[in-house]
Amino acid sequence: MKKQKITTSIYTTASVLLLMCNPVWSASEAKMLLHFIDSHHFPQWNINNDTVMGGVSQSHITQHPQQALLFSGTVSLANNGGFASTESRIIKDIPAASAITVTVKGDGKTYQLRLKTPALSYGEAYVANFTTQADTITQHRFTASDFSVSFRGRNVANAPALTFADIDRMGFLVAQKQQGPFAIELHSVEFER
């Protein structure tokens, strides 16, 4: 009896460690869940604001107590600025997916989900906008047809079609002349086969 308890305990510990280090799959293995806070999924989040073009917007990433990343700051329209963004590499292989769902807690502003693949040139991204609800956790589901290719706010014609399995970077941007403070908790992204 004692031996059985030890075996169960070791198995439980191993299972927890496995879940922490790998994407979480549903029982049907039709979905893969990545946590934005997990460095095994997203190793490092980089900031890219309008300061690269002379703007003065500010933003930063911090760990939130609710097991999320908090992307926050202030967007300024001064010096022809007006955007703040963050991006990370994805270090897990993504399955052939038909849709993705992003879970966030926002502030009522509109944000842009930005996806990148090796098929795009430097600076281009597949983009889709979504509007948050203040102080409310919301889920936003996208299919490949919801995205367009953009470079510095302009649509790019004749770009390669988006395939979710090719994504190697993911980011978020706040722009659209939404000046002032912003804050969005980034919880998770789920890929659905």
Side-chain angles (χ1 to χ4, degrees):
M1 186 73 99
K2 200 170 194 180
K3 187 176 181 181
Q4 180 64 35
K5 282 185 178 178
I6 292 171
T7 303
T8 302
S9 176
I10 291 171
Y11 174 77
T12 303
T13 302
S15 297
V16 169
L17 288 173
L18 186 63
L19 286 174
M20 289 172 58
C21 298
N22 289 299
V24 179
W25 289 86
S26 69
S28 65
E29 293 193 2
K31 298 178 181 180
M32 182 177 77
L33 184 68
L34 300 178
H35 299 279
F36 291 124
I37 201 169
D38 192 332
S39 61
H40 293 95
H41 301 167
F42 299 91
Q44 179 181 349
W45 288 86
N46 299 310
I47 295 294
N48 183 23
N49 299 332
D50 57 22
T51 52
V52 298
M53 300 162 28
V56 295
S57 297
Q58 300 177 356
S59 68
H60 51 275
I61 286 278
T62 54
Q63 184 171 335
H64 195 273
Q66 300 303 318
Q67 293 301 302
L69 290 179
L70 179 63
F71 175 45
S72 61
T74 303
V75 170
S76 171
L77 304 182
N79 297 344
N80 294 317
F83 75 87
S85 68
T86 186
E87 180 182 283
S88 180
R89 286 187 307 110
I90 301 175
I91 56 175
K92 290 292 179 183
D93 290 334
I94 297 170
S98 61
I100 62 173
T101 300
V102 176
T103 301
V104 300
K105 182 178 180 181
D107 53 6
K109 292 192 173 186
T110 298
Y111 291 84
Q112 188 178 86
L113 173 61
R114 299 173 61 82
L115 307 176
K116 294 183 179 179
T117 73
L120 295 179
S121 302
Y122 176 78
E124 295 176 347
Y126 297 97
V127 302
N129 293 326
F130 62 95
T131 302
T132 62
Q133 296 178 31
D135 300 319
T136 304
I137 293 178
T138 54
Q139 293 187 319
H140 306 272
R141 187 176 186 272
F142 306 92
T143 63
S145 63
D146 294 319
F147 291 84
S148 61
V149 177
S150 177
F151 176 70
R152 295 184 179 173
R154 296 183 179 92
N155 285 340
V156 176
N158 302 317
L162 172 60
T163 302
F164 290 136
D166 294 336
I167 298 168
D168 61 2
R169 286 167 290 166
M170 179 176 290
F172 295 87
L173 177 140
V174 58
Q176 298 181 340
K177 301 189 183 298
Q178 297 178 103
Q179 61 183 333
F182 71 90
I184 182 171
E185 290 177 18
L186 308 176
H187 288 258
S188 64
V189 58
E190 184 177 72
F191 292 86
E192 180 183 333
R193 288 184 176 160

